[in-house]
Amino acid sequence: MIKNPILNFPKISTLLLYLFAFSFAQAQQIFSTNRYPITDFRQPLDIVPPALAGSFGEIRGNHFHSGIDFRTNQREGYPVYAVADGYVSRLRVQNSGFGQAIYLNHPNGFTTVYGHVQRFSPKIAAIVKNLEYEKKTFEIDDFPEATLIPVRKGEIIAWSGNRGSSGGPHLHFEIRDTKTEETINPQFFGIDIPDNIPPIIHGLYAYRLNGKTFNENTPKQAIGITGANGSYKALTPISLTGEVGFGVVVTDRHNGLSGTNGVYSIQLELDGKIIYTSALERFAFEDSKAINSHIDYPTYLNTKRSIQKSFVDPGNPLKIYSGLVNSGKINFNDGASHQLRYIITDSKGNASILPFTVNAGDTPVAAAIIPAGLIFAYNKANEFNSDEIKVLLPQGTLYNDLSFVYKKLPKPSGNAWSNIHQIHNRYTPLHVGFNFWIKADALPENLRNKALIVSTGGSSQGGTFENGYVKASPRNFGSFYIAVDTIAPRISPVNIADGKSMAGLSKMTFKISDNLSGIKSFNGYIDGKWVLMEFDAKTATLWHSFDDRTASGKHNFELVVSDVKDNVRRYSISFFR
């Protein structure tokens, strides 16, 4: 169980309090029964003081943030250092995601990760480029032998950048357990961020559950609060009857140039006893999408407001919870007055306290009315079939039991080869995708390999034709139909044209895009030989950087871009160097 010694401060003598504060400043391990090395690692950047644009475990779309984001003064090109001795265990280049990333294994049993880097150190860059040419692909995910690229603590391994799915220049940094690959809060390892600012509590909510599973129809009541600087209170006592869950909106900042970050722990007490604790010490990547169970997902979709629920859905696999009593749900039915208290803590132990009073009713609550629909159990595989569709939810897809609803809607105009099929609604989060088949409506044989399932919002879900149906695996419920993609990707040259001299230019650049199924591959050839084309998905920019493989003189260039449905666009020119 995660312990919070701050709660015991009034019981500690002045001397012990001083010793505790000193040990905390040195160790930063007061929130965990695990022990992590706190002197092995240095900072990955030399920017002083360090500042974060994102904290560990903060709420992101469909996932918890898996590391900490170091600010780089809105610039690229800061040296990135190996935080300890070790070796390069993984090299990854992606169109999106981390863009370019280095993974180092260390003798102490932990792995560090450095993402969105602008470029690798020369020795690493040469190995990456050789791998790309050897495999004839821009995207690589390679695991070098332990003896191939040793590194020393303080060695420059890269320069900070903005590659991949990055919203601006920064360094994404992680520490993982090498064996389990769980990601761990780096501040447990002595990665120090100056911080004496307590979290901010923005909102308090009560959910009237009363025997129903939580969903978009659960009544929610905002409770007025006031306060600042770690001390908050409800404006008035609250009257509640029946089964209730609570939720809070909280953020954090640190000293200096700080983004709006997430908090470390949320603890709820009822009449002096802990009934709920969540603490973001570590988590497994396969569980990260359960953030949509941790928060009030329908409210997030509608307003982007992140209310963190203090009650746990039965199918939530996250291991960040402890001290749970009745999964954090409270029955107010004794007519008494109850004292509740939130303790919100950041990674440095700064705490904000929010006490509030609930006056419980004593009249029975009406029995829950379950809406009409097919009941899907959260702990089983579930299936729905009709004449035109098949839906299969593997076990582990749902966080709660679901009253499943399906509707068939008319075929849309234009590129559609089936009716629209509304699969429940978008407000129910799913942990994994579901298998989905739609029967094709007179789809010609010559278009079957071009068929896919799309949402009514125009987003491709992929798909393959099988025995009269198109099958896909959407990650969320919604409304879907069959479409076909027969249009090749688009290639738009930026700085090159037929017959142009490229002397003095370091690279040739293009914009590429696709109308529906998405880009699958791109390959460039100079004088018939494959050359490396690099891609940035967020800007749809594709480029080739000239090197000594391209000598002076006239050259022929061909670019071939394919989409997921194998529609191909070719671009061929001559140029001079």
Side-chain angles (χ1 to χ4, degrees), residues 360-405:
D362 57 5
T363 56
V365 176
I369 299 174
I370 307 299
L374 182 65
I375 302 302
F376 282 2
Y378 79 90
N379 56 353
K380 296 180 181 178
N382 296 279
E383 186 173 348
F384 174 83
N385 296 301
S386 74
D387 291 341
E388 296 184 26
I389 68 163
K390 304 175 186 177
V391 176
L392 176 62
L393 275 64
Q395 184 174 343
T397 301
L398 297 172
Y399 301 115
N400 275 308
D401 290 348
L402 175 67
S403 183
F404 178 80
V405 176

Side-chain angles (χ1 to χ4, degrees), residues 81-92:
Y81 300 96
V83 298
D85 291 352
Y87 65 91
V88 176
S89 57
R90 187 179 185 183
L91 291 167
R92 193 166 191 189

Side-chain angles (χ1 to χ4, degrees), residues 63-180:
H63 68 284
F64 290 100
H65 189 225
S66 57
I68 55 179
D69 287 345
F70 284 94
R71 288 178 173 268
T72 56
N73 298 321
Q74 300 181 337
R75 292 166 42 198
E76 299 184 38
Y78 283 93
V80 176
Y81 300 96
V83 298
D85 291 352
Y87 65 91
V88 176
S89 57
R90 187 179 185 183
L91 291 167
R92 193 166 191 189
V93 178
Q94 303 169 271
N95 293 333
S96 55
F98 286 159
Q100 296 189 137
I102 301 174
Y103 298 65
L104 304 182
N105 280 11
H106 305 284
N108 57 12
F110 296 98
T111 298
T112 54
V113 183
Y114 313 75
H116 305 303
V117 300
Q118 178 194 66
R119 65 190 191 277
F120 301 115
S121 68
K123 72 175 181 181
I124 296 174
I127 291 170
V128 169
K129 197 166 190 178
N130 287 338
L131 284 168
E132 290 172 323
Y133 271 89
E134 177 186 327
K135 299 180 179 182
K136 291 184 169 56
T137 177
F138 166 60
E139 291 194 295
I140 62 167
D141 192 7
D142 191 73
F143 299 83
E145 294 292 332
T147 57
L148 183 62
I149 318 174
V151 297
R152 303 293 293 177
K153 185 175 184 176
E155 178 181 340
I156 296 175
I157 56 173
W159 283 266
S160 67
N162 189 30
R163 297 290 290 267
S165 302
S166 169
H170 71 279
L171 175 69
H172 176 90
F173 176 74
E174 295 180 14
I175 299 180
R176 301 183 185 181
D177 184 309
T178 303
K179 289 184 179 179
T180 68

Side-chain angles (χ1 to χ4, degrees), residues 42-314:
R42 57 155 285 164
Q43 298 277 3
L45 297 169
D46 273 346
I47 298 174
V48 178
L52 299 184
S55 62
F56 181 84
E58 74 180 24
I59 294 170
R60 302 285 179 92
N62 288 318
H63 68 284
F64 290 100
H65 189 225
S66 57
I68 55 179
D69 287 345
F70 284 94
R71 288 178 173 268
T72 56
N73 298 321
Q74 300 181 337
R75 292 166 42 198
E76 299 184 38
Y78 283 93
V80 176
Y81 300 96
V83 298
D85 291 352
Y87 65 91
V88 176
S89 57
R90 187 179 185 183
L91 291 167
R92 193 166 191 189
V93 178
Q94 303 169 271
N95 293 333
S96 55
F98 286 159
Q100 296 189 137
I102 301 174
Y103 298 65
L104 304 182
N105 280 11
H106 305 284
N108 57 12
F110 296 98
T111 298
T112 54
V113 183
Y114 313 75
H116 305 303
V117 300
Q118 178 194 66
R119 65 190 191 277
F120 301 115
S121 68
K123 72 175 181 181
I124 296 174
I127 291 170
V128 169
K129 197 166 190 178
N130 287 338
L131 284 168
E132 290 172 323
Y133 271 89
E134 177 186 327
K135 299 180 179 182
K136 291 184 169 56
T137 177
F138 166 60
E139 291 194 295
I140 62 167
D141 192 7
D142 191 73
F143 299 83
E145 294 292 332
T147 57
L148 183 62
I149 318 174
V151 297
R152 303 293 293 177
K153 185 175 184 176
E155 178 181 340
I156 296 175
I157 56 173
W159 283 266
S160 67
N162 189 30
R163 297 290 290 267
S165 302
S166 169
H170 71 279
L171 175 69
H172 176 90
F173 176 74
E174 295 180 14
I175 299 180
R176 301 183 185 181
D177 184 309
T178 303
K179 289 184 179 179
T180 68
E181 295 188 358
E182 288 181 310
T183 186
I184 308 168
N185 191 329
Q187 289 187 258
F188 280 110
F189 294 81
I191 303 297
D192 185 49
I193 308 297
D195 184 3
N196 60 8
I197 302 171
I200 302 168
I201 305 177
H202 301 274
L204 172 63
Y205 294 85
Y207 294 87
R208 299 175 186 270
L209 301 168
N210 294 329
K212 291 185 181 181
T213 56
F214 172 81
N215 58 36
E216 70 277 9
N217 298 312
T218 301
K220 176 171 84 262
Q221 174 183 347
I223 300 167
I225 63 171
T226 186
N229 300 320
S231 179
Y232 296 81
K233 65 179 180 179
L235 294 175
T236 60
I238 312 127
S239 295
L240 296 169
T241 301
E243 185 184 56
V244 174
F246 291 96
V248 287
V249 180
V250 291
T251 60
D252 188 47
R253 297 180 66 84
H254 57 76
N255 296 28
L257 187 63
S258 172
T260 299
N261 302 144
V263 303
Y264 173 71
S265 68
I266 298 174
Q267 190 166 279
L268 179 60
E269 295 177 347
L270 171 65
D271 296 327
K273 296 181 179 179
I274 297 170
I275 63 165
Y276 170 93
T277 301
S278 63
L280 284 158
E281 176 184 346
R282 60 197 291 159
F283 62 86
F285 285 93
E286 61 265 26
D287 293 339
S288 189
K289 197 183 178 187
I291 192 172
N292 294 331
S293 173
H294 178 74
I295 65 172
D296 177 345
Y297 184 65
T299 293
Y300 178 78
L301 288 185
N302 285 330
T303 69
K304 296 304 178 184
R305 189 168 176 82
S306 298
I307 305 173
Q308 299 191 53
K309 292 151 48 185
S310 302
F311 54 97
V312 182
D313 298 330

